[in-house]
Amino acid sequence: MGQPKIDTSPKVSDEIRKTTCYMCACRCGINVHMKDGKVAYIEGNRDHPVNRGVLCAKGSAGIMQVNAPSRLRAPLKRVGPRGSGEFKEISWDEALQIAADWLEPIRAEDPSKLAFFTGRDQSQSFTSFWAQNFGTPNYAAHGGFCSVNMAAAGIYTMGGAFWEFGQPDWDRTKLFMIFGVAEDHDSNPIKMGIGKLKARGARVIGVNPIRSGYNAVADDWIGITPGTDGLFILALVHELLKAGNIDLRYLADYTNAPVLIDCDPASETYGLFQRDASGKELVIDRRTGKPTAFDTDGVVPDLGGTYRHAGITHVTVMHKMAERYLEPSYAPEAVAERCGIKAEKIRKIAAELARVAFEEEITLDVPWTDFRGRHHDKMVGRPVSFHAMRGISAHANGFQTCRALHVLQILLGSVEVPGGFRFKPPYPKPVAAHPKPHCKVTPGKPLDGPHLGFVQGPDDLALKDDGSPARIDKAFTWENPMSAHGLMHMVISNAYAGDPYKIDTLFMYMANMSWNSSMNTKGVMEMLTDKDESGAYVIPRIIYSDAYSSEMVAYADLILPDTTYLERHDCISLLDRPISEAEGAADAIRWPVIEPDRNVRGFQSVLCELGAKLNLPGFTNEDGTQKYADYADYITNHIRKPGIGPLAGWRMGEDGLTDGRGESNAAQLDSYIKNGGFKLFHIEEDAQFYKPWNMAYQKYAVDMGFYDAPAPYLFQLYVEPMRKFQLAAEGHGERQPPEHLREQIKSRLDPLPIWYDTAQANKGDEYPITALTQRPMAMYHSWGTQNAWLRQIHGRNPLYLPTKLMQDHGLQDEDWATVTSPHGSITVPVMEMAALNDNTVWTWNAIGKRKGAWALSEDAPEATKGFLLNNLIHELLPPKGDGLRWANSDPITGQAAWFDLKVRIEKAKAPQESQPAFPAQKSPVGKGPETVEWKVGS
């Protein structure tokens, strides 16, 4: 018999269109295979600097987002009660006119009556520009409830942090230590990096209460007690200092460790740096023994230097650090029980860090010149690297914990050296290079500057003349002075309470605030629908934009439907959240590889139209016409400052095409498309390390437009702006904190990293267990659990309990338990997990769905056996009896303290479905079919 003929090389597609994935925030390069003008399948782009062809389940499943039954189809106007989901379809002309009619009088009378907040928006440079031109101070994205502690702590300490700011030197590091990292963040690059480490025999240490994902493949897993990472890190610092295992040369040359501190208690500058007449920090020069500006050519800073003046001895930052961290309270024995890590283990890890850093030193024969004019004939590296994310950040002590980790890296000399942590351009940037927050509101005019930024002291707080908060979220106030990303989780609660003032319109984009993106989920739903005594909604108007019928849609008055990511232009800009690598800056675009089959528009293009209708200066020409036809036009032609636009590649220079600085180029987007949707700007070998101090890199940064002039700086082990806030709390200066916040500021805003217990940590026997959430590798946010492919991986989420708690409560797999916090209770299915901290429970986040949302059937497992821990968490701490509203946030940055949740557990009779169960929403897109299937091409 003849064998059947098998076509081993079938025609896969008619065409490949290269763009950027949007299934998580990695921004990987993808090849979209097209057949008959439709998407056939998606694979990774081998040429792309982020993923080099690797693509995860999320990325491959992007095709299901494009075909999702839950996609919104047209602009919608609410016709039933808010929350009912009753809408009628309207035209875009009507939708934009309604929005303009609502917003125009606000801008003319008081722009602060608009609160404009965006969720996982990857165009924050653009949306903030729109809000700034509108004139409202009330703008931010999701960072305040995500990982602002990590980002802000990194920028204040060393000019950048992990993930988008930097990466381990995957090719050279020999010891990699991760803290609080779930599988969703930087997924493909970390998987690829860990693969490299394993292939070379390098060691991985995972510090996380939960052993899943990256921690599951770690050589050593530390199941730490949640919220105690900072204490553990400072015990490592104690051991390193005690043994003298720190990089003294690195600390003296590149950090503020040798900077002199004013030690005169009677001085107005007590605890601040000693400076020369031009304001430069002073160090003792070992050559002369005299105070000298830190950046003087040839200066040799003395870590142990002192300066005696008027009977007062002034000492260095290094002196203060040794004085603090050598205290017995930081010894391993003192912290072991609290952290859940044996003292012997802490010592062993400290010794291993030191051994690898100093005994396995890496040397590259690459000469370079530093900012003091000193020539070096080689680059010396410490092959120890770290990575951390939300697990250590989302606590009320998260900022100081993140600071502690950055200080640990710096003490080892393992930042910006071969084998260590490396910055990605445009980082590093000194904190002074970033804007300060602006909040001056003028009717009918733009805001006086960018909304978000990095305060340098009390004078930079966003306060009105009477001292009250200028922003609806109370960012940059005495309650949370260094809130660099705003407090999105407080917007609805504050607007509802009229604290600090009432708003007129809440305008949100991609922010599922009535479900998985809010604390106190049930309470938020009530706030969005509650009416005042006159029968009007307490929050008068809500405009919402999303691509899908999420839970939030039902609570809006006007829906502006967005496109999916393959139907739109996007700009992954060096001005915003770039895709750079340590060896080169990089930016990228998305472009419409397919056209929408619905009456939807890209949200950023809608803002261009709405901005013109409102006559916003940045969106209107002098003759009153619309300045940018759409977002693509903005990307191409917007000039942020002379020679600098959203994209750095293929700009117009005097002699033709150029990169970095240059004029607009009408063919720029076409050039990106032809190049695979991205552009990489390589860094020469002699500029790839020591970036903050390397003059070759500083020149590269100026050429690219990151700086206007070289900006070398010192890493800030001691953060002087924090001391300025302490000084105010001690009674110095004209701008003073409220009395009830003085002690908080003095104790929490310490310029050297500290650890403190959080308000929720000590609930005693009533709530003895910590409850956490983390995101699975196969999901990112709400988008994933509508996806027909990804739902097969995570269609429901149990609560995982460690073996000890399962046995203590008589539970078995598939049993149900009631979990109670000081705020509420849920009843959910449980599963045993042995690789888990003994006093911690956890679940996957954003799997649970509300009935009726996302076009899922009402009996979908996500809606019946999926659930959210959000129902147990409140945006406010329990009342303290002082009549004040205390946010459940870090008191320094305002980051939401999701992971401080304390609960108790008891076995429950199995209900029909997870509790609480909310009534089904009516969705404007109805329900999807029983099966989602189609065939592209013949």
Side-chain angles (χ1 to χ4, degrees):
M1 294 179 62
Q3 293 297 317
K5 280 192 172 183
I6 298 174
D7 184 359
T8 57
S9 299
K11 182 181 179 183
V12 174
S13 55
D14 305 323
E15 179 188 1
I16 297 174
R17 298 178 180 176
K18 298 176 184 287
T19 187
T20 305
C21 187
Y22 200 5
M23 293 298 289
C24 79
C26 283
R27 285 81 47 82
C28 294
I30 53 175
N31 297 338
V32 182
H33 287 256
M34 308 294 297
K35 263 189 177 181
D36 298 340
K38 296 182 179 179
V39 179
Y41 82 102
I42 300 171
E43 67 175 350
N45 179 355
R46 293 176 182 270
D47 298 321
H48 199 273
V50 170
N51 59 316
R52 305 184 189 280
V54 172
L55 199 62
C56 67
K58 297 188 297 295
S60 298
I63 191 171
M64 291 297 181
Q65 299 296 113
V66 175
N67 294 288
S70 60
R71 290 170 299 159
L72 295 169
R73 297 164 188 160
L76 301 169
K77 178 183 178 181
R78 179 176 59 80
V79 293
R82 193 182 286 172
S84 67
E86 295 175 8
F87 294 93
K88 74 170 184 177
E89 290 191 2
I90 57 176
S91 69
W92 273 105
D93 284 345
E94 184 178 356
L96 290 169
Q97 192 58 52
I98 291 171
D101 288 345
W102 291 353
L103 297 176
E104 193 167 20
I106 294 175
R107 184 166 190 267
E109 297 165 16
D110 182 0
S112 67
K113 296 295 184 182
L114 170 66
F116 179 49
F117 285 77
T118 69
R120 299 205 164 259
D121 164 25
Q122 292 181 13
S123 59
Q124 290 158 29
S125 172
F126 171 79
T127 49
S128 65
F129 180 72
W130 190 93
Q132 185 178 333
N133 276 276
F134 185 90
T136 179
N138 295 316
Y139 167 84
H142 78 286
F145 63 62
C146 182
S147 293
V148 66
N149 275 335
M150 183 60 67
I155 286 175
Y156 275 106
T157 306
M158 58 184 189
F162 302 115
W163 192 26
E164 290 162 323
F165 301 89
Q167 65 188 133
D169 187 352
W170 295 114
D171 293 323
R172 299 180 184 89
T173 195
K174 298 178 182 180
L175 178 59
F176 180 49
M177 196 168 184
I178 53 176
F179 288 79
V181 181
E183 294 90 274
D184 64 319
H185 272 104
D186 213 15
S187 177
N188 285 335
I190 289 182
K191 285 183 289 187
M192 294 159 61
I194 289 177
K196 285 184 176 182
L197 300 185
K198 292 286 186 180
R200 290 192 288 103
R203 268 178 49 78
V204 178
I205 300 175
V207 182
N208 197 316
I210 304 161
R211 190 171 196 183
S212 64
Y214 311 132
N215 294 280
V217 300
D219 299 287
D220 199 351
W221 171 60
I222 312 298
I224 194 168
T225 300
T228 66
D229 303 80
L231 194 57
F232 167 53
I233 292 165
L234 292 177
L236 296 175
V237 169
H238 172 93
E239 286 296 293
L240 293 171
L241 287 171
K242 185 177 176 183
N245 286 323
I246 57 176
D247 193 328
L248 296 174
R249 174 72 178 272
Y250 184 98
L251 292 168
D253 286 348
Y254 308 130
T255 80
N256 69 2
V259 171
L260 292 164
I261 294 174
D262 184 341
C263 296
D264 181 0
S267 170
E268 288 287 318
T269 58
Y270 178 47
L272 302 182
F273 296 144
Q274 296 275 357
R275 298 177 183 273
D276 67 10
S278 65
K280 290 186 176 180
E281 300 97 314
L282 293 174
V283 300
I284 297 296
D285 189 345
R286 296 176 70 92
R287 301 171 306 169
T288 65
K290 295 180 180 180
T292 309
F294 80 93
D295 60 350
T296 303
D297 282 357
V299 69
V300 182
D302 186 354
L303 288 172
T306 60
Y307 172 58
R308 188 164 179 82
H309 178 71
I312 302 293
T313 300
H314 305 284
V315 300
T316 64
V317 168
M318 193 71 230
H319 180 104
K320 292 288 188 182
M321 291 188 68
E323 192 174 62
R324 170 170 296 179
Y325 300 126
L326 287 174
E327 288 180 0
S329 59
Y330 289 107
E333 289 83 4
V335 310
E337 183 177 358
R338 187 73 185 84
C339 296
I341 307 171
K342 292 181 179 179
E344 179 185 356
K345 185 69 171 180
I346 297 172
R347 286 199 176 86
K348 182 178 179 182
I349 292 172
E352 184 174 11
L353 289 170
R355 180 187 61 77
V356 175
F358 301 112
E359 295 180 20
E360 300 190 27
E361 176 181 288
I362 291 175
T363 301
L364 303 181
D365 292 324
V366 179
W368 67 285
T369 302
D370 69 26
F371 68 104
R372 294 188 179 102
R374 187 184 311 161
H375 181 75
H376 305 260
D377 60 1
K378 58 185 62 179
M379 294 178 169
V380 177
R382 310 290 176 206
V384 175
S385 58
F386 299 85
H387 185 73
M389 274 308 296
R390 192 183 296 116
I392 70 169
S393 183
H395 294 278
N397 59 23
F399 180 84
Q400 290 285 23
T401 292
C402 295
R403 281 257 303 128
L405 182 55
H406 297 317
V407 165
L408 173 62
Q409 297 185 89
I410 293 167
L411 288 173
L412 290 167
S414 66
V415 179
E416 260 307 309
V417 298
F421 171 80
R422 307 175 66 188
F423 287 114
K424 300 178 182 180
Y427 297 94
K429 292 182 181 180
V431 69
H434 293 269
K436 297 177 180 179
H438 293 74
C439 64
K440 181 173 174 55
V441 174
T442 305
K445 300 291 183 182
L447 200 67
D448 60 331
H451 302 80
L452 305 176
F454 293 84
V455 298
Q456 297 293 300
D459 290 345
D460 301 328
L461 292 178
L463 300 175
K464 295 182 178 180
D465 292 341
D466 63 0
S468 65
R471 293 173 52 104
I472 189 66
D473 59 357
K474 299 186 182 180
F476 309 109
T477 65
W478 294 105
E479 290 185 31
N480 28 252
M482 302 168 77
S483 42
H485 289 178
L487 283 74
M488 189 169 179
H489 55 292
M490 294 305 299
V491 172
I492 292 173
S493 172
N494 288 0
Y496 176 75
D499 179 18
Y501 49 78
K502 292 285 187 180
I503 64 167
D504 181 279
T505 299
L506 177 64
F507 190 0
M508 304 197 103
Y509 174 51
M510 288 182 62
N512 200 10
M513 301 304 292
S514 69
W515 196 247
N516 65 285
S517 290
S518 69
M519 299 172 166
N520 184 22
T521 303
K522 181 175 182 291
V524 168
M525 292 186 233
E526 292 170 352
M527 293 176 205
L528 294 173
T529 55
D530 197 20
K531 296 182 178 181
D532 61 21
E533 294 178 355
S534 70
Y537 286 112
V538 175
I539 300 176
R541 298 182 179 92
I542 300 175
I543 305 173
Y544 185 57
S545 180
D546 205 320
Y548 305 102
S549 183
S550 69
E551 286 87 353
M552 183 64 195
V553 166
Y555 295 93
D557 305 310
L558 179 66
I559 299 291
L560 306 175
D562 194 17
T563 60
T564 69
Y565 72 101
L566 294 183
E567 301 168 326
R568 61 182 297 120
H569 279 99
D570 268 327
C571 180
I572 299 95
S573 171
L574 290 166
L575 300 178
D576 200 344
R577 303 178 67 185
I579 57 162
S580 302
E581 294 291 300
E583 293 85 7
D587 56 16
I589 64 165
R590 294 186 190 92
W591 59 284
V593 300
I594 55 173
E595 292 298 323
D597 58 358
R598 309 163 317 288
N599 188 21
V600 298
R601 297 180 184 178
F603 178 65
Q604 289 76 16
S605 292
V606 169
L607 287 184
C608 289
E609 295 182 73
L610 187 56
K613 286 185 77 70
L614 293 169
N615 200 31
L616 302 188
F619 293 84
T620 311
N621 294 313
E622 290 183 6
D623 63 0
T625 57
Q626 185 169 327
K627 187 169 186 177
Y628 303 112
D630 53 22
Y631 191 39
D633 189 11
Y634 170 92
I635 293 170
T636 303
N637 293 306
H638 176 67
I639 299 294
R640 185 54 58 98
K641 64 179 184 179
I644 303 296
L647 292 172
W650 294 286
R651 303 194 70 80
M652 296 300 296
E654 292 182 4
D655 300 318
L657 294 179
T658 185
D659 293 329
R661 297 176 184 269
E663 298 305 311
S664 299
N665 170 18
Q668 187 180 44
L669 288 178
D670 289 338
S671 297
Y672 271 84
I673 291 169
K674 290 175 184 176
N675 199 57
F678 70 94
K679 183 70 184 289
L680 178 65
F681 313 96
H682 184 71
I683 302 174
E684 294 299 325
E685 186 180 38
D686 66 339
Q688 289 186 11
F689 293 97
Y690 298 98
K691 293 186 182 82
W693 322 291
N694 185 333
M695 294 314 293
Y697 176 79
Q698 293 291 315
K699 180 181 182 303
Y700 169 89
V702 172
D703 291 344
M704 286 297 299
F706 307 152
Y707 319 137
D708 290 331
Y713 64 97
L714 300 176
F715 284 168
Q716 303 293 294
L717 300 170
Y718 183 101
V719 174
E720 189 182 40
M722 300 180 76
R723 176 59 194 155
K724 291 179 181 179
F725 284 105
Q726 284 186 321
L727 276 173
E730 292 165 8
H732 298 276
E734 293 183 6
R735 188 169 258 189
Q736 290 287 295
E739 287 301 319
H740 70 278
L741 290 173
R742 286 189 189 275
E743 287 306 314
Q744 174 174 286
I745 292 165
K746 284 190 280 188
S747 64
R748 299 302 188 241
L749 272 81
D750 197 300
L752 288 174
I754 58 171
W755 182 86
Y756 51 87
D757 233 337
T758 64
Q760 298 186 67
N762 294 315
K763 293 296 179 183
D765 295 334
E766 190 176 4
Y767 303 103
I769 300 164
T770 302
L772 304 175
T773 63
Q774 67 177 28
R775 303 198 187 281
M777 196 173 286
M779 299 284 185
Y780 187 53
H781 288 279
S782 302
W783 319 323
T785 42
Q786 61 164 331
N787 187 295
W789 288 355
L790 299 179
R791 290 182 67 210
Q792 297 175 62
I793 301 173
H794 295 284
R796 51 175 290 195
N797 58 308
L799 183 71
Y800 292 102
L801 273 66
T803 301
K804 178 179 182 297
L805 290 180
M806 291 287 283
Q807 293 174 348
D808 289 349
H809 293 85
L811 292 164
Q812 297 181 357
D813 286 354
E814 303 294 339
D815 280 349
W816 290 67
T818 295
V819 186
T820 305
S821 76
H823 174 58
S825 67
I826 59 176
T827 302
V828 298
V830 299
M831 293 281 286
E832 181 177 350
M833 180 176 175
L836 183 57
N837 177 277
D838 275 348
N839 213 39
T840 301
V841 299
W842 76 282
T843 192
W844 299 118
N845 192 19
I847 301 298
K849 289 284 173 281
R850 183 165 173 180
K851 293 175 185 172
W854 302 98
L856 297 176
S857 63
E858 292 185 11
D859 62 353
E862 291 86 352
T864 57
K865 292 191 175 180
F867 65 93
L868 301 176
L869 281 186
N870 306 51
N871 291 293
L872 300 178
I873 310 171
H874 203 286
E875 74 274 4
L876 300 175
L877 294 173
K880 298 183 178 182
D882 54 11
L884 300 170
R885 303 170 77 242
W886 293 86
N888 181 14
S889 305
D890 188 298
I892 301 171
T893 65
Q895 173 166 345
W898 295 96
F899 293 171
D900 286 348
L901 176 63
K902 304 294 287 187
V903 301
R904 65 172 183 264
I905 294 175
E906 53 191 326
K907 188 173 182 178
K909 182 179 179 181
Q912 291 296 311
E913 57 191 29
S914 298
Q915 298 295 315
F918 298 99
Q921 290 183 321
K922 184 177 179 181
S923 169
V925 300
K927 297 178 185 177
E930 287 295 319
T931 58
V932 178
E933 58 181 276
W934 68 91
K935 185 174 182 180
V936 178
S938 57

